[in-house]
Amino acid sequence: MSAAPPPASTPQEPVEPLELLQLGTDAEEPCLRADAARNRARLLEAAARLVAERGAEGITMEEVAAAARVGKGTVFRRFGDRTGLLTALLDHSEKKFQAAFLTGPPPLGPGAPPVERLRAFGLAMLRRTAEELELQLAAEPEPGRRFTNAPRRVRRHHVSLLLREAVPDADCDLLAHTLMAQLDPALIHHLIRQCGMPLERLEAAWVDLVDRVTCSSPPG
């Protein structure tokens, strides 16, 4: 009796070039005056601080203006309304994060082995989410868009590309979904806020998961 033929390789989704997220906030403002740029940076910094302290649902445009020491009209002219402000805040944070893992220094950026980059990506994502937890939760898309919105697609595609380098015989597209599930903001909120787990435990679990998936030795 002849041996069974080897299983066919799992087709992967086509690789497409990654682009930095563009939500529209900066694209519509190609050139800000120096004072306008400073005011915008101060407003985003103040909004981020208030969201971290009290949650996204609890801040007003007036409070952000007062915290940034600018007039209330400046906030409305710059962002339109509260939703526009929170969108700009998330957009600013997302672009910085994407720039770090796409073009920044290793091990998060290019230049390190794929497993090291996977470890660094998850650790950076966990720390960013823990710092911006209220904003991340407020920005969670509805279930029908959860896996198709631009930021998640870019991050998942990045993880899939690294997996293809590290474990090319695996179904890297589905495996990327599995890894990204451990970085879900709702899960991080549950584990840290409701279960009282320290961030360090989540970080150690991420490194362990990456090493088990890629059959790598833990970092020394």
Side-chain angles (χ1 to χ4, degrees):
M1 181 173 172
S2 60
S9 59
T10 303
Q12 310 280 12
E13 294 179 2
V15 176
E16 299 176 355
L18 291 175
E19 296 182 357
L20 289 180
L21 172 66
Q22 297 291 334
L23 289 182
T25 305
D26 292 336
E28 296 170 0
E29 302 176 291
C31 185
L32 293 176
R33 299 190 321 273
D35 59 339
R38 283 193 298 270
N39 282 342
R40 186 176 189 277
R42 289 167 62 185
L43 286 165
L44 290 174
E45 181 182 349
R49 187 169 61 251
L50 289 172
V51 168
E53 292 173 356
R54 297 164 45 193
E57 297 298 324
I59 67 169
T60 66
M61 300 287 272
E62 291 80 5
E63 289 173 325
V64 172
R69 298 181 180 178
V70 301
K72 181 174 65 174
T74 300
V75 191
F76 285 96
R77 283 194 301 272
R78 178 59 54 209
F79 302 109
D81 57 18
R82 184 175 167 281
T83 299
L85 172 61
L86 294 177
T87 299
L89 183 58
L90 182 65
D91 181 55
H92 179 69
S93 170
E94 184 65 32
K95 285 178 180 176
K96 287 198 303 182
F97 182 59
Q98 287 186 13
F101 69 73
L102 291 176
T103 62
L108 181 57
V115 173
E116 288 186 27
R117 294 192 68 192
L118 277 170
R119 293 181 188 128
F121 175 85
L123 294 177
M125 187 70 190
L126 284 167
R127 291 162 189 164
R128 177 199 173 203
T129 302
E131 291 173 359
E132 304 175 351
L133 194 48
E134 298 296 340
L135 180 63
Q136 294 279 343
L137 290 175
E140 278 286 276
E142 61 185 22
R145 295 180 55 250
R146 183 161 296 165
F147 300 103
T148 59
N149 78 314
R152 288 195 181 216
R153 288 178 58 203
V154 170
R155 295 183 222 128
R156 187 175 65 248
H157 191 61
H158 176 68
V159 169
S160 180
L161 289 178
L162 293 177
L163 285 169
R164 291 182 196 196
E165 293 184 61
V167 282
D169 57 338
D171 187 339
C172 296
D173 299 317
L174 282 178
L175 196 55
H177 279 283
T178 302
L179 290 180
M180 292 299 296
Q182 190 158 332
L183 304 175
D184 183 76
L187 175 62
I188 295 171
H189 174 269
H190 169 68
L191 295 176
I192 292 178
R193 299 285 179 85
Q194 297 177 330
C195 298
M197 291 186 187
L199 179 61
E200 292 77 12
R201 182 175 174 184
L202 274 62
E203 292 174 342
W206 170 261
V207 173
D208 180 63
L209 176 62
V210 169
D211 291 344
R212 290 177 186 275
V213 164
T214 59
C215 300
S216 302
S217 301

